[in-house]
Each structure stands twice: as structure tokens, then as C-alpha cells.
């Protein structure tokens, strides 16, 4: 981070991929810093993206820390700033400041089985964790990935998930049956219950719509996962990134400072404001 916490670095968009079409469109942007700028990050951290003249928005960094040539952000179109980003083209320049927030403690999970559970755009914040675990495959036990979208057209990182099958057990789902779909039909929490995970020596990481997270955690606890074995991120609560604006607080915690990554044991002690 440079000396002025509010001053973004300039970055040029070098690649845009349309992940999901429609009203809740998701695009993945790769950006490279200009003028020798840049910063390192850890899995779970976020960055503030600026579209000059429009505003800025906190976005999870969706690329693995080992990738140094660019930063990747997968962004759902949902407001003024994200719509402006979606309208941008390769070669356009944005502002990026960060990294902000804490990280998933991946290093503490060596030797353990990892169960990732994502829904919708919630795959993006945990994707760097998956990529880090796969890049250090021998450090971890079994890796399992559950991910679901409303329809087959809502599955982001589709090609990347298929490539992942060689390194992890991947279980995809959509909400309702479709012609040609041979994966699970039903909500993500139900898919998890359909394939119960052994909690022994395991860590579960989940991110997605709040209602999905609620039922996923209920199901994991029913399988025997302890609160300390379940992690999630509430990056949607992050605002200015440095805890100065006071709009990120959940109870006593400023999420920009203490979060966004929490174990369920930590999160359940906070008011249910997230």
C-alpha cells in the first residue's frame, strides 16, 4: 500500500471474460498495474476498485497470490460502479487500492482435508484459497469443491472447475433440472447433505448468498463439524477498507479491520447484522 491510503494505483484492464449473462451478469477482469505499481495479497483479501467519475467499490481479489503479473476480479453488475466496470473495455484504466482485510489461514490447514462450498458470485472470494491449496497439493488431504448456480448459465469459472477435477472432487449443482445437465439438481446445501463430508481433520470454507451460508453451516454442524472448523467471509460488509468511515461495524468489530474472514465460532459471537 502506498503512503496515502485513499490514493489508488492505476491499473489497465488486460482481459475481460463474461462469466454469467443476464440481469445478474458476472464478468471477470484481469488488470495489470501501471508505472511499476502493484501489491502482494493473501487469499481472502479485497481491493477497492475505482471507476473515475463514477465511484469506487470493494471487491474480493479473485486471483491466487502466486500470480504476480495481474490481479483478477470477478464482479457482478449490481449498482452504479459495478455497471460502469461492466461497460469498460480492454485497455481502459481503473484505480485499485489495497489489499484490505485479513486472510484465510491456509498455512494453518496443512495436512487437513478441505471442503469448499460456494454459490453464485461467492465462488470468487474463495477461489484464491482453492488455487493456493491446489498449487501446494501435497500439503493438503482431500480437496472437495461444491458449487452451484441458479441455472447452468449461472455457473461461473465453468472451464476452470472442469480443469480442477483432476486435483479435487468437484460437485456442481443447479436449482432446477435442465436438458443436458448431468450434475445435481437442487440447492447447494442439499447437494452438500447428499454427499456428507467427514468432519475428522477437515476444514470447511463457504461463501455465497447469506441464506445459502446459513443452511450450509446448519448442515455442516449436523455432519459433526465444530464451529472452529467452518470459515466464511463477509466481504460484502467492507466499506472504506481501513475502518475509518465507521459503516462496516458488526457489533464491536470493524469488518474492514478484523475481517472479512471469520470462523463460525468467531462470527456467531457477533450480532446477526451480516
Amino acid at each position: 500500500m502506498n503512503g496515502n491510503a485513499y490514493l489508488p494505483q492505476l491499473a489497465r484492464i488486460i482481459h475481460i471474460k463474461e462469466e454469467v449473462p443476464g440481469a445478474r451478469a458476472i464478468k471477470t477482469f484481469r488488470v495489470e498495474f501501471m508505472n511499476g505499481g502493484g501489491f502482494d495479497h493473501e487469499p481472502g483479501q479485497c481491493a477497492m476498485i475505482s471507476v473515475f467519475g463514477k465511484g469506487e467499490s470493494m471487491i474480493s481479489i479473485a486471483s491466487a497470490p502466486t500470480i504476480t503479473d495481474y490481479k483478477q476480479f470477478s464482479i457482478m453488475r449490481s449498482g452504479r460502479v459495478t455497471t460502469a466496470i461492466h461497460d469498460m473495455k480492454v485497455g481502459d484504466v481503473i484505480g485499485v487500492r489495497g489489499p484490505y482485510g485479513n486472510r484465510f489461514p491456509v498455512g494453518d490447514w496443512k495436512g487437513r482435508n478441505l471442503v469448499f462450498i460456494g454459490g453464485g458470485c461467492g465462488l470468487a472470494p474463495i477461489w484464491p484459497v482453492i488455487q493456493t491449496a491446489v498449487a501446494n497439493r501435497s500439503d493438503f488431504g482431500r480437496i472437495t469443491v461444491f458449487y452451484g448456480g441458479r441455472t447452468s448459465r449461472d455457473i461461473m469459472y465453468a472451464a476452470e472447475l472442469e480443469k480442477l477435477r483432476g486435483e479435487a472432487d468437484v460437485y456442481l449443482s443447479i436449482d432446477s433440472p435442465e436438458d443436458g445437465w448431468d450434475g445435481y439438481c437442487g440447492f447447494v446445501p442439499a447437494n452438500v447433505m447428499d454427499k456428507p463430508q467427514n468432519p475428522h481433520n477437515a476444514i470447511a470454507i463457504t461463501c455465497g448468498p447469506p441464506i445459502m451460508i446459513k443452511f450450509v453451516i446448519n448442515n455442516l454442524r449436523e455432519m459433526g463439524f465444530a464451529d472452529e472448523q467452518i470459515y466464511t467471509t463477509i466481504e460484502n460488509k467492507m466499506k472504506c477498507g481501513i475502518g475509518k468511515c465507521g459503516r462496516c461495524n458488526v457489533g464491536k468489530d470493524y469488518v474492514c479491520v478484523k475481517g472479512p474472514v471469520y470462523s463460525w465460532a468467531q462470527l456467531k459471537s457477533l450480532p446477526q447484522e451480516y
Side-chain angles (χ1 to χ4, degrees), residues 4-232:
N4 186 338
Y6 297 100
L7 185 63
Q9 300 185 57
L10 297 180
R12 191 181 307 280
I13 297 172
I14 59 171
H15 185 266
I16 301 173
K17 179 186 177 189
E18 184 173 321
E19 302 281 357
V20 174
R24 298 167 58 85
I26 301 172
K27 289 184 178 180
T28 293
F29 298 82
R30 291 179 179 176
V31 304
E32 64 179 9
F33 288 98
M34 302 168 64
N35 308 319
F39 54 76
D40 297 328
H41 74 278
E42 298 288 342
Q45 290 190 299
C46 302
M48 189 70 86
I49 304 297
S50 302
V51 179
F52 302 114
K54 298 293 184 180
E56 56 183 11
S57 184
M58 188 69 74
I59 305 291
S60 296
I61 303 172
S63 49
T66 52
I67 297 174
T68 58
D69 294 340
Y70 61 85
K71 300 292 184 194
Q72 178 169 296
F73 303 93
S74 295
I75 302 171
M76 176 182 287
R77 186 173 60 208
S78 59
R80 182 183 60 189
V81 177
T82 55
T83 297
I85 296 174
H86 270 239
D87 290 340
M88 300 186 87
K89 299 177 176 60
V90 170
D92 286 344
V93 175
I94 63 173
V96 182
R97 57 185 176 94
Y100 297 121
N102 63 351
R103 59 181 175 82
F104 286 97
V106 184
D108 297 340
W109 299 339
K110 289 183 178 180
R112 308 188 75 164
N113 300 323
L114 303 180
V115 183
F116 297 93
I117 306 162
C121 202
L123 183 60
I126 62 176
W127 189 250
V129 192
I130 297 172
Q131 292 296 290
T132 298
V134 169
N136 300 278
R137 190 64 188 86
S138 60
D139 287 344
F140 301 94
R142 182 177 179 180
I143 299 176
T144 306
V145 178
F146 290 90
Y147 174 66
R150 294 181 177 181
T151 72
S152 61
R153 287 159 50 90
D154 296 313
I155 300 292
M156 61 184 294
Y157 297 171
E160 292 87 343
L161 285 164
E162 287 304 316
K163 289 177 62 177
L164 193 63
R165 292 186 187 278
E167 303 288 349
D169 297 321
V170 178
Y171 301 109
L172 303 182
S173 64
I174 57 176
D175 291 356
S176 303
E178 287 182 18
D179 289 342
W181 177 260
D182 58 2
Y184 186 85
C185 294
F187 298 131
V188 172
N191 195 18
V192 176
M193 282 302 281
D194 187 64
K195 303 163 186 69
Q197 300 297 299
N198 187 342
H200 176 69
N201 197 38
I203 293 291
I205 305 99
T206 184
C207 186
I211 190 65
M212 186 210 82
I213 294 176
K214 174 183 176 181
F215 284 101
V216 162
I217 290 175
N218 287 346
N219 291 351
L220 289 170
R221 296 186 74 240
E222 189 172 329
M223 292 175 197
F225 279 78
D227 294 340
E228 294 78 8
Q229 292 176 270
I230 303 170
Y231 283 79
T232 188

